[in-house]
């Protein structure tokens, strides 16, 4: 068996020899749609100069003032310097299958590349908060023409944001997940989301902006799996309360909403006692209140 695996490794090496492949380059504009790489894992492969190469995600996304704001995975590639490079070697599906079969690539990596949940959540942060602040009209123009920055700022509340943007991003993803889990949403849920976001960020959000966000997240519910990462215990409770208020917004909680709340509670690692306390808090104050600590 070991001899067979050794032979398989030799065949695998022959299946992809960087010196015989053409390295591709990418460039990222200061503002526009740019390409970039993100590190996945180290490999035993080397480039034509003998430098070790890493397995990377290749993707595209929105760039503002040289900062990568969003990232959508397009494929798998190999690149040196832990993917901090300006050139790369593409990987075919057959090469991915062979490398995974030989145990050289992570076993849990999907053969068809997809954007990881934590990156999707950060994308939500841009689309849901930054895009709200500068206006969806501008965002569409930016993506379509990559022209100059002619931002249309939304009205801002006179009060300052009470919590950091990271908490607001997670709360937004959780609220949208609960609001769309039954395939529909109503004005009470839209109003509650707007109310909570205004409290967390200090900005005013229109119903149209909330609907845009709901429609965006309804197409991709996987990002909810990244909710809670790197949040403090207090922030996790804020996110949990925000999600629960959406479920209670219309005065009744459907089974699918119970399931959505249970999933979020599990992701946030919120105890049963905290859940009972939040239910009591919402019942006493009424659902149409912002999530607070």
């Amino acid at each position: 068996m070991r001899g067979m695996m050794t032979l398989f490794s030799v065949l695998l090496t022959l299946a992809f020899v960087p010196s015989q492949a053409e390295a591709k380059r990418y460039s990222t504009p200061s503002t526009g749609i740019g390409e970039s790489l993100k590190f996945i894992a180290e490999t035993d492969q080397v480039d034509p100069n003998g430098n070790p190469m890493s397995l990377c995600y290749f993707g595209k996304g929105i760039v503002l003032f040289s900062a990568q704001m969003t990232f959508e995975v397009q494929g798998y590639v190999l690149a040196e310097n832990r993917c901090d490079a300006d050139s790369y070697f593409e990987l075919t599906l057959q090469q991915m299958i062979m490398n995974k079969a030989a145990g050289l690539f992570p076993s849990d990596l999907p053969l068809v590349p997809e954007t990881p949940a934590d990156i999707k959540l950060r994308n939500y942060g841009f689309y849901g908060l930054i895009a709200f602040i500068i206006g969806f009209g501008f965002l569409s123009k930016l993506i379509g023409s990559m022209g100059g920055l002619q931002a249309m700022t939304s009205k801002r509340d006179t009060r300052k944001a009470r919590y950091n943007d990271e908490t607001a991003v997670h709360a937004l993803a959780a609220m949208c997940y609960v609001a769309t889990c039954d395939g529909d949403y109503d004005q009470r849920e839209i109003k509650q989301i707007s109310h909570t976001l205004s409290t967390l960020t200090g900005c005013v959000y229109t119903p149209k902006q909330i609907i845009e966000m709901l429609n965006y997240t309804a197409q991709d519910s996987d990002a909810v799996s990244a909710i809670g990462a790197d949040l403090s215990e207090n922030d996790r409770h804020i996110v949990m309360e925000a999600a629960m208020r959406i479920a209670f917004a219309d005065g009744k909680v459907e089974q699918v909403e119970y399931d959505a709340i249970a999933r979020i509670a599990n992701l946030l690692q919120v105890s049963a006692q905290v859940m009972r306390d939040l239910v009591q808090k919402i019942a006493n104050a009424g659902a149409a209140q912002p999530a607070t600590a």
Side-chain angles (χ1 to χ4, degrees):
M1 177 62 71
R2 179 172 298 180
M4 289 295 293
M5 287 306 297
T6 300
L7 178 59
F8 188 79
S9 297
V10 172
L11 292 174
L12 178 63
T13 301
L14 294 175
F16 179 71
V17 181
S19 61
Q20 298 176 355
E22 180 182 354
K24 296 191 174 182
R25 293 183 175 275
Y26 69 92
S27 60
T28 300
S30 60
T31 295
I33 298 295
E35 301 171 336
S36 61
L37 306 178
K38 290 190 180 298
F39 176 81
I40 299 176
E42 299 288 4
T43 74
D44 293 331
Q45 296 283 359
V46 296
D47 68 9
N49 297 319
N51 298 315
M53 293 194 296
S54 303
L55 178 63
C56 322
Y57 288 119
F58 170 79
K60 297 181 180 180
I62 297 173
V63 180
L64 292 178
F65 302 115
S66 300
Q68 188 84 39
M69 307 305 296
T70 66
F71 184 82
E72 298 288 345
V73 171
Q74 305 289 310
Y76 295 118
V77 300
L78 291 175
E80 61 178 88
N81 199 28
R82 292 178 63 85
C83 306
D84 185 12
D86 58 5
S87 63
Y88 60 89
F89 295 90
E90 288 185 322
L91 287 169
T92 66
L93 177 60
Q94 181 181 10
Q95 290 160 356
M96 286 297 299
I97 293 173
M98 294 179 69
N99 275 279
K100 287 192 65 176
L104 301 180
F105 285 177
S107 60
D108 59 347
L109 197 66
L111 288 174
V112 178
E114 57 185 47
T115 305
D118 60 328
I119 296 179
K120 288 180 180 179
L121 188 59
R122 287 197 294 272
N123 289 345
Y124 281 5
F126 176 77
Y127 290 120
L129 296 177
I130 304 301
F132 278 170
I133 293 172
I134 66 178
F136 272 93
F138 162 67
L139 182 61
S140 298
K141 293 178 182 178
L142 175 65
I143 295 174
S145 65
M146 294 299 110
L149 294 179
Q150 299 176 347
M152 299 182 295
T153 55
S154 301
K155 292 182 179 180
R156 281 186 174 272
D157 201 312
T158 54
R159 61 175 178 261
K160 295 182 178 179
R162 296 181 58 188
Y163 304 96
N164 61 47
D165 285 346
E166 189 74 13
T167 305
V169 168
H170 286 251
L172 175 62
M175 289 188 292
C176 287
Y177 177 67
V178 175
T180 59
C181 68
D182 58 358
D184 195 13
Y185 49 82
D186 62 26
Q187 290 300 317
R188 287 166 294 189
E189 292 170 328
I190 293 171
K191 182 178 180 180
Q192 180 62 47
I193 293 173
S194 176
H195 192 34
T196 298
L197 279 182
S198 295
T199 299
L200 297 178
T201 66
C203 298
V204 175
Y205 301 93
T206 67
K208 180 180 178 181
Q209 291 173 326
I210 300 300
I211 291 172
E212 290 276 5
M213 191 69 246
L214 285 166
N215 291 338
Y216 174 78
T217 57
Q219 300 172 11
D220 182 8
S221 60
D222 291 342
V224 72
S225 61
I227 287 178
D230 302 322
L231 291 184
S232 67
E233 182 179 11
N234 183 65
D235 287 343
R236 292 199 303 273
H237 293 175
I238 292 171
V239 172
M240 189 72 253
E241 181 182 346
M244 292 175 67
R245 287 187 180 279
I246 298 303
F248 289 115
D250 59 1
K252 59 181 179 180
V253 182
E254 305 290 345
Q255 183 60 50
V256 67
E257 292 175 319
Y258 277 117
D259 295 340
I261 289 296
R263 182 182 182 188
I264 292 174
N266 182 60
L267 290 168
L268 294 173
Q269 299 181 348
V270 175
S271 68
Q273 183 58 54
V274 169
M275 293 292 288
R276 287 192 290 269
D277 291 343
L278 289 176
V279 169
Q280 189 62 50
K281 178 181 179 181
I282 293 171
N284 292 339
Q289 297 289 330
T292 58

